[in-house]
């Protein structure tokens, strides 16, 4: 007796009956939501959040008030797509080391949720759309900075610096600070001293922001052969850089004050920056004492600090 049964389907499409074998495995349906979620995760939305935190206030300061909503929308959409493109291409390039690290092995490429080719096409498409939007609706300086930021992050930082030097975080810091310059350029078509001062804040901020994360996942980076500073340098050297760059972040934020800012910004920069520096010293004391170390406290506070500081920039620009 035959074990194949027939299950009729609608004849409206003229399709033949579908044959099934009892007990045979059924091909799983592809969950559309899971696929969409995987592609979104490739863009690293947390980085896009950082873009919003720094870009909008920079635009407001450049305008001396609130820029047109249309321009803000274009810059935020274009900038978000650019940051997403850089992150997707970063995941494509780093797929070999991501599968070796506990922190990243569940990303879409190591889990084969998204194929490398699909990720590459997706990332390049986002890059083309983002740069085109900036070129058509803002100006060539903003578009050029956008393209440069994507290229530098993926070709210079991810492909080269990250794998070859312990100073990769320092030299890669320009990418994270680029949205400040892009937002300013989109409004004015040029770059003023205040734009560079804000750029310096975000640039120096990235070392005391990222080194605690690298400390927590030190074994991960060592397993993957990535020479992050906490992996290859002494604790004393890492402490010195965290404290030094935390102070440079504070001083850079105060350098913005005389460039047309009021006490609203100045006092906020002084107080929030003071807490940021205190938390950096606190972490380094924990490391030096050999006791329990909580590096993620500084990591999370760094986000709060940057949000508070740039919120003060936005408020100051409005008043």
């Amino acid at each position: 007796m035959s074990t194949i049964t027939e299950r009729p389907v609608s004849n409206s499409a003229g399709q033949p009956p579908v044959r099934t074998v009892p007990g045979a495995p059924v091909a799983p349906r592809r969950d559309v939501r899971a696929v969409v979620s995987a592609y979104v995760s490739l863009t690293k939305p947390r980085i896009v959040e950082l873009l919003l935190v720094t870009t909008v206030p920079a635009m407001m300061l450049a305008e001396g008030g609130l820029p047109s909503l249309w321009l803000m929308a274009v810059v935020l959409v274009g900038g978000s797509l650019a940051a997403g493109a850089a992150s997707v291409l970063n995941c494509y390039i780093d797929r070999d080391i991501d599968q070796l690290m506990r922190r990243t092995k569940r990303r879409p490429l190591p889990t084969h949720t998204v194929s490398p080719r699909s990720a590459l096409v997706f990332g390049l498409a986002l890059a083309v759309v983002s740069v085109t939007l900036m070129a058509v609706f803002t100006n060539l300086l903003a578009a050029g900075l956008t393209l440069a930021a994507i290229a530098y992050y993926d070709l210079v930082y991810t492909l080269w610096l990250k794998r070859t030097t312990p100073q990769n975080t320092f030299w890669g810091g320009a990418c994270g600070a680029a949205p400040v310059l892009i937002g300013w350029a989109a409004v004015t078509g040029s770059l003023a001293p205040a734009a560079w001062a804000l750029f310096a804040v975000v640039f120096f901020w990235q070392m005391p922001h990222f080194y605690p994360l690298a400390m927590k996942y030190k074994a991960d980076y060592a397993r993957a052969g990535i020479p992050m500073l906490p992996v290859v340098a002494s604790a004393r050297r890492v402490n010195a850089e965290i404290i030094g760059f935390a102070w440079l972040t504070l001083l850079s934020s105060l350098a913005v004050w005389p460039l047309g800012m009021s006490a609203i910004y100045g006092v906020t920069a002084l107080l929030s920056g003071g807490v940021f520096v205190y938390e950096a010293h606190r972490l380094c004391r924990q490391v030096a004492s050999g006791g329990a170390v909580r590096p993620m406290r500084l990591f999370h506070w760094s986000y709060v600090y940057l949000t508070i500081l740039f919120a003060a920039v936005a408020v100051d620009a409005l008043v």
Side-chain angles (χ1 to χ4, degrees):
M1 181 181 294
S2 173
T3 59
I4 299 178
T5 60
E6 292 187 347
R7 175 171 56 84
V9 296
S10 172
N11 293 324
S12 59
Q15 297 175 341
V18 177
R19 292 173 176 260
T20 61
V21 180
V26 179
R29 292 182 178 180
R30 199 167 192 190
D31 190 330
V32 175
R33 284 191 301 176
V35 173
V36 171
S37 177
Y39 276 94
V40 171
S41 70
L42 284 174
T43 66
K44 300 180 183 178
R46 191 69 183 267
I47 295 179
V48 176
E49 291 177 19
L50 179 61
L51 163 85
L52 303 179
V53 166
T54 59
T55 304
V56 173
M59 294 179 69
M60 295 173 67
L61 184 59
E63 181 69 30
L66 194 65
S68 74
L69 295 181
W70 166 251
L71 180 61
M72 291 178 65
V74 169
V75 173
L76 290 181
V77 171
S80 297
L81 292 176
S87 294
V88 173
L89 295 173
N90 167 268
C91 288
Y92 171 78
I93 295 168
D94 276 353
R95 64 191 186 280
D96 59 330
I97 61 176
D98 280 351
Q99 62 186 351
L100 302 176
M101 299 174 59
R102 291 190 180 93
R103 184 173 69 90
T104 57
K105 67 180 182 180
R106 296 189 181 278
R107 286 178 176 173
L109 289 176
T111 58
H112 307 291
T113 308
V114 177
S115 70
R117 182 178 182 278
S118 297
L120 177 61
V121 171
F122 180 50
L124 292 175
L126 290 179
V128 170
V129 172
S130 65
V131 174
T132 301
L133 277 176
M134 299 297 286
V136 172
F137 296 107
T138 62
N139 54 65
L140 292 181
L141 177 58
L145 289 170
T146 301
L147 178 60
I150 297 172
Y152 187 90
Y153 182 71
D154 290 312
L155 300 180
V156 179
Y157 170 72
T158 304
L159 200 58
W160 175 37
L161 296 173
K162 181 176 180 178
R163 298 169 183 250
T164 59
T165 173
Q167 293 302 314
N168 47 27
T169 304
F170 175 84
W171 294 110
C175 306
V180 172
L181 300 182
I182 294 170
W184 192 287
V187 172
T188 66
S190 61
L191 295 174
W196 288 108
L198 289 175
F199 173 89
V201 172
V202 184
F203 177 83
F204 291 130
W205 166 87
Q206 288 179 89
M207 273 61 74
H209 163 70
F210 185 77
Y211 285 157
L213 184 71
M215 291 168 62
K216 179 176 175 63
Y217 294 103
K218 179 178 177 179
D220 255 5
Y221 285 113
R223 187 182 303 110
I226 302 301
M228 291 298 177
L229 191 69
V231 175
V232 300
S234 66
R236 183 176 181 180
R237 167 72 181 280
V238 176
N239 283 356
E241 293 215 11
I242 289 176
I243 291 174
F245 284 116
W247 276 102
L248 284 172
T249 303
L250 171 59
L251 294 175
S252 297
S253 70
L254 294 178
V256 181
W257 192 350
L259 300 176
M261 308 298 285
S262 74
I264 294 175
Y265 169 83
V267 173
T268 303
L270 184 61
L271 294 178
S272 61
V275 176
F276 183 53
V277 169
Y278 169 78
E279 289 294 338
H281 278 273
R282 176 175 179 160
L283 171 61
C284 293
R285 284 196 302 269
Q286 291 175 349
V287 173
S289 68
V293 178
R294 299 173 58 193
M296 297 306 286
R297 177 184 173 114
L298 177 59
F299 175 79
H300 292 304
W301 168 251
S302 66
Y303 274 117
V304 177
Y305 161 70
L306 202 68
T307 302
I308 292 172
L309 183 72
F310 275 83
V313 172
V315 172
D316 206 306
L318 289 175
V319 298

